Amino acid sequence: MTEVETELSRFVAETNWDALPEAIRHRVTDIWADTVANALAGRRAANTPAVERLAARLTGPGDSVIIGGGSSSMTGAALINGFQITAFTMCDVYRPALCHITPEVVPVVLALADDGRNLLVGLAVGLELTARLGLGLDYPTFRGRGWHAPGVIGTIGAAAAGARVLGLDHRQIRAAMGLGASQASGTFAALGTAAVKFHQARGAVSGLWAALFAADGLGGSQRGLTHPDGGVLTTYTDGGRPDLILDGLGERWELEQISLRRWPAASSLQSLVAGLLDFTDVGTESVRSAQLELPPSSYAMCAEMGWEDELSAMQSARYVTAAVLADRRCWTEQFSAERRVDPAINRFASGVSVRQGTDLPPSGVRIRLTRTDGTVVETTRDTAPGEPSDPLTRPQIIDKLQAAAVTTPVSGGDLVRVVYATDGCDGASVRAALCAPTAERSEREYAQQH
């Protein structure tokens, strides 16, 4: 038995919610609230109905909660919730491995937890395990081979979280992690397509199955991470950095390095949105031209992206610039089918100039706007709101949750109260707060989105 799997599985099995530092409980609860907001917003995403239809065909009905939208089978709910959480491109991101973690972990703990405290402790260990795996990946090697982390390490973290919620012992948790590793997949060839979201939704389903299989004694390899013939670290990253995975385990919490996004836009464009909104007296009607500089990684992903559909628009530096300047806002309606074909938005977006800023940090941006009167305003940002150095405040998360709560039958205030009291709630109370009748779409809205 290798030290990495042994130490991680014991950590997962032995972590207790009440024994966690207060700051970590606070952080996990904020991430839970942010995830609920993202899932509620995702009810309105253009591709959510297709995912719901697929889940119905594959798995049929059931009584597992779909956040903001009724119920489905356990597998169906995990698929839909995983997709909804990431659908509007504003879920968490662990930047050292460019990994979105909550879309894989939250659907699993929500499906399996019998009370709120059990849900939150499962979320805590799932977040921590996945982030630590990301830290140990040797990310440049991993990324250089084209791998996309959510479907690889997110699946393993979700499996461990589900196993913890089910009360499995450390050996069973190792087996669940091995089953998660057996299902690890996803590459950056999917960038700009709905398959990027599929990596995360499928990761939730895979983690759920891994935990349930392990609970029934059908576990996977006890060395899913470090086996010399096919272990995740040895295969995906030439061995990785297992020492970093275990460094300070249980004492230093890597989940504190998870970023939350304030707006529905690519993680690489959050600083762009912040910078544009910092300009209080400019809009597309008063701007002659816009020049952006993005760091190399952001440039590669977002500079040339078009805005043919909802997802690509949220990843397009040019479209985001036009929409935010025009509306002085960045929320889900800025990426609707109607807004994307607006002639004025299209003209402005097509004229936005984007180039590489090799001196910018990974989350940075430089913006230069020339007004119609010839004057210039510009700004440079090194980080985005929501990053570890500038975390979203609880009031900001609550604002996001209330803005997204339009698809629930409870008031935003009631939803906030229940979500932030999850550690003292039974499972039925949590599910009742999150589960609304399936949202009906008007024919006009559906046509606009398709």
Side-chain angles (χ1 to χ4, degrees), residues 322-333:
V324 172
L325 282 179
D327 297 348
R328 308 303 306 157
R329 176 175 167 81
C330 187
W331 194 242
T332 58
E333 62 266 27

Side-chain angles (χ1 to χ4, degrees), residues 102-116:
T102 57
E104 301 91 81
V105 174
V106 167
V108 177
V109 298
L110 180 60
L112 298 177
D114 55 0
D115 61 50

